[in-house]
Amino acid sequence: MKAVLVAITLHLLTANCIFLNGNIKNNEVHNECNLPAKLVSEIRSYEDTANTIINSLINGKYKGRTYKELAKFVDKFGARVSGTENLENAIDYALHTMEQYDLENVHGEEVKVPHWVRNYEAAELLEPRKANVPVLGLGNSVSTPEGGIEAEVIVVDTFDQLKSENVSKNVKGKIVVFNENWISYGESVKYRSHGASEASKLGAVAALVRSVTPFSMSTLHTGWQEYDDDVEKIPTASITKEDARSFQRYQDRGDKIVLRLNLNYTRYEDSQSRNSVGEIKGSTHPNKVVLVSGHIDSWDVGVGAMDDGGGAFISWYALAVLKGLGLRAKRTLRAVLWTAEEPGLVGWSAYNASHFHELENFTFVMESDEGTFTPLGIEYAAGTEGGCIIQEIVNLLAPINATQTKASSSVGSDISFWTKSLIPGASLLNANSRYFWFHHTAADTMDVLNPDNMDKAAAVWAVVSYVIADLNDEFPRSRDSITKDVKINLIANNNDNENK
């Protein structure tokens, strides 16, 4: 099964929103805040409840336990790759653990997921000198032919350069190395996602992509890629930032560069997996849902502690804390641990399809998939009025200095299609400037995380989700009906998931 492409036709609301590189200027939003005094008073009435939640995680019985639960999980299962038995064992464990913490309606929801495995990979520089070159295959890559590939290298830094007249005529039969500059993840990741296809269109025999990261200590970063339908599939892998730049220097000096590649991978038939669900049923409006989430799968390098063990575990553990404190909101709180996020939001896509008829009842959606470093507050996609409500709620987080807000056009990875004006939502705003140092690398381990930061992140998640779920009035939407204004077509096709 190819990953699922979600084609979304949206009637976007643009009134009162000023966008800068996808983000709404925060001061414009908060300068417009004029919430009813009754609502402001209601939110502020949760101060004692918020302090109880915070204290239980920072100083009380739950201190350090989010980190400990994740460490136990990660040490037991390690990497949790889509399609593998190990991922399914990890899902069984997560479901059992949620049951042990008395979450309600704990269950798995089946999903067909891709299964791609790296077998072995090697690269050797033959000219202008001999050296081994570390490589890390990109997800869904095909293998080199038996015996490998030996070919001359051509280095480019942009797709425009690749397609230029002077370069494009010299690509055929060569290995293209993309030495793209780091601009941002959203901008630079397109070379990982599309590099092999673009090189293949010009007759390249393989593509190597500089690891998508702003900082490297000879670190290899992997990630999923898909081939365009109309191209010959060629093998593709990442190389370190350092090696990509050295190849550039060779080429700039006029040196001939020759590489030998031997890459072997297997793409198995799609297999069965599950999204993992646990809830606290709402006391008054049980059909209304506030959803918190992270993804449980990971890449095969590292152990997926940061991406996205931290996000998954603060999501279900926030509910465990609320349940342990005897806090039951008016609306249902639902934790979802997405499966197969890494190969293209596959778990979310299946969930969206099976729950589409319920989306009118989704009050608010949250996802943490950009690290659980020091929490700063909440990033949201919720419109002007929603942003004002979020700011009032995060003011309750003053004891842990997490009162900042940031408005964006969409948030999250799995939930990003929902939050593009479908459903109001939020992600964890945290001091994650080092996130892409470790992202999709062997360095994604428990050592990236900090127990105190995870306590604070769980507190943010618990307070914000609980208050939104318990408010007397429904959180505002930018439209009266999803199904009237939004058409979603789920098309079986390629999805390189450039947001991830």
Side-chain angles (χ1 to χ4, degrees):
M1 178 191 77
K2 293 182 178 179
V4 177
L5 172 66
V6 182
I8 299 182
T9 304
L10 297 170
H11 297 280
L12 294 176
L13 218 108
T14 55
N16 298 324
C17 293
I18 299 176
F19 292 90
L20 290 178
N21 298 322
N23 293 329
I24 308 169
K25 287 168 64 177
N26 232 30
N27 61 327
E28 296 288 343
V29 173
H30 294 148
N31 286 343
E32 296 177 9
C33 285
N34 188 24
L35 295 175
K38 182 179 179 181
L39 176 57
V40 173
S41 177
E42 181 187 4
I43 294 171
R44 292 177 182 176
S45 74
Y46 286 95
E47 182 177 3
D48 287 345
T49 300
N51 287 339
T52 296
I53 294 169
I54 291 168
N55 287 332
S56 74
L57 281 154
I58 305 304
N59 303 306
K61 65 181 290 188
Y62 299 113
K63 178 177 174 60
R65 287 173 63 174
T66 315
Y67 181 93
K68 288 178 181 177
E69 287 288 1
L70 176 59
K72 184 164 61 173
F73 174 79
V74 160
D75 291 343
K76 184 176 180 65
F77 296 104
R80 306 166 301 281
V81 180
S82 173
T84 63
E85 182 180 359
N86 190 56
L87 173 59
E88 298 315 300
N89 291 338
I91 290 170
D92 287 338
Y93 179 94
L95 292 169
H96 178 67
T97 304
M98 286 193 281
E99 288 177 338
Q100 287 184 314
Y101 276 86
D102 292 328
L103 296 193
E104 302 157 12
N105 192 26
V106 174
H107 65 281
E109 299 187 12
E110 292 189 344
V111 184
K112 282 283 191 180
V113 300
H115 185 190
W116 176 89
V117 173
R118 73 179 78 246
N119 300 317
Y120 59 86
E121 44 201 9
E124 184 182 3
L125 179 65
L126 302 177
E127 295 184 42
R129 66 183 179 91
K130 289 188 178 294
N132 291 326
V133 178
V135 290
L136 186 63
L138 299 179
N140 199 40
S141 175
V142 297
S143 302
T144 53
E146 187 175 351
I149 290 172
E150 185 176 314
E152 191 172 342
V153 167
I154 187 167
V155 184
V156 298
D157 57 13
T158 65
F159 286 141
D160 287 341
Q161 185 184 17
L162 176 71
K163 297 171 185 177
S164 67
E165 183 178 355
N166 289 339
V167 174
S168 60
K169 64 184 179 182
N170 295 317
V171 170
K172 188 173 183 179
K174 293 181 180 177
I175 298 169
V176 172
V177 167
F178 290 96
N179 180 35
E180 79 284 353
N181 289 319
W182 170 269
I183 299 172
S184 67
Y185 187 72
E187 178 64 23
S188 300
V189 75
K190 65 187 179 183
Y191 294 96
R192 188 195 78 200
S193 303
H194 300 295
S197 291
E198 294 301 319
S200 177
K201 291 174 184 178
L202 297 174
V205 294
L208 299 177
V209 181
R210 171 172 148 175
S211 287
V212 184
T213 181
F215 174 80
S216 178
M217 295 182 70
S218 294
T219 317
L220 291 164
H221 296 243
T222 190
W224 194 260
Q225 64 87 41
E226 285 279 3
Y227 298 100
D228 293 352
D229 289 335
D230 57 346
V231 303
E232 181 179 351
K233 296 178 181 179
I234 60 174
T236 182
S238 68
I239 58 175
T240 67
K241 176 180 178 180
E242 291 84 350
D243 281 333
R245 295 177 72 177
S246 72
F247 292 159
Q248 184 73 66
R249 293 193 298 273
Y250 286 140
Q251 180 170 282
D252 291 346
R253 287 192 291 261
D255 294 337
K256 181 180 179 181
I257 312 166
V258 178
L259 280 175
R260 179 184 293 128
L261 295 178
N262 198 338
L263 311 176
N264 188 272
Y265 312 110
T266 304
R267 177 71 185 261
Y268 293 99
E269 292 295 321
D270 293 347
S271 58
Q272 203 74 48
S273 187
R274 292 155 292 166
N275 291 316
S276 307
V277 181
E279 295 181 341
I280 302 176
K281 189 175 181 180
S283 62
T284 308
H285 308 293
N287 292 330
K288 295 288 187 178
V289 175
V290 172
L291 182 146
V292 294
S293 65
H295 68 86
I296 196 169
D297 67 308
S298 75
W299 273 104
D300 57 340
V301 290
V303 294
M306 180 194 74
D307 182 19
D308 183 33
F313 270 61
I314 67 165
S315 293
W316 75 259
Y317 203 76
L319 267 61
V321 170
L322 294 172
K323 188 68 184 292
L325 294 173
L327 295 171
R328 184 179 296 272
K330 296 180 179 69
R331 298 167 188 81
T332 293
L333 281 161
R334 179 179 298 168
V336 180
L337 312 185
W338 309 109
T339 192
E341 186 272 351
E342 295 296 2
L345 313 185
V346 180
W348 170 85
S349 181
Y351 187 92
N352 178 72
S354 61
H355 291 268
F356 185 77
H357 63 287
E358 302 172 39
L359 295 186
E360 288 287 351
N361 289 324
F362 280 34
T363 297
F364 200 82
V365 293
M366 299 167 65
E367 181 177 19
S368 173
D369 188 21
E370 295 180 351
T372 49
F373 298 91
T374 304
L376 303 175
I378 287 291
E379 182 173 1
Y380 65 86
T384 302
E385 183 183 2
C388 295
I389 294 172
I390 293 294
Q391 183 61 64
E392 282 293 335
I393 293 172
V394 300
N395 287 342
L396 301 171
L397 299 169
I400 54 173
N401 297 315
T403 60
Q404 297 181 35
T405 60
K406 177 182 177 183
S408 294
S409 55
S410 69
V411 293
S413 51
D414 295 275
I415 67 170
S416 62
F417 291 113
W418 281 340
T419 59
K420 288 176 182 175
S421 293
L422 281 166
I423 306 169
S427 61
L428 182 68
L429 185 64
N430 66 113
N432 61 353
S433 61
R434 295 183 297 135
Y435 180 78
F436 290 109
W437 295 14
F438 309 104
H439 181 250
H440 295 182
T441 75
D444 183 355
T445 68
M446 286 302 298
D447 294 297
V448 178
L449 306 181
N450 174 278
D452 291 340
N453 288 339
M454 289 200 69
D455 289 339
K456 293 175 184 176
V460 171
W461 233 223
V463 169
V464 173
S465 64
Y466 176 78
V467 172
I468 292 174
D470 200 55
L471 289 172
N472 287 321
D473 293 332
E474 191 74 359
F475 197 93
R477 282 197 171 171
S478 59
R479 56 176 46 79
D480 294 330
S481 171
I482 291 173
T483 53
K484 287 180 181 178
D485 290 347
V486 180
K487 180 182 179 182
I488 293 186
N489 296 314
L490 298 176
I491 304 170
N493 210 320
N494 299 329
N495 177 16
D496 55 30
N497 183 20
E498 291 188 6
N499 291 322
K500 179 61 186 139

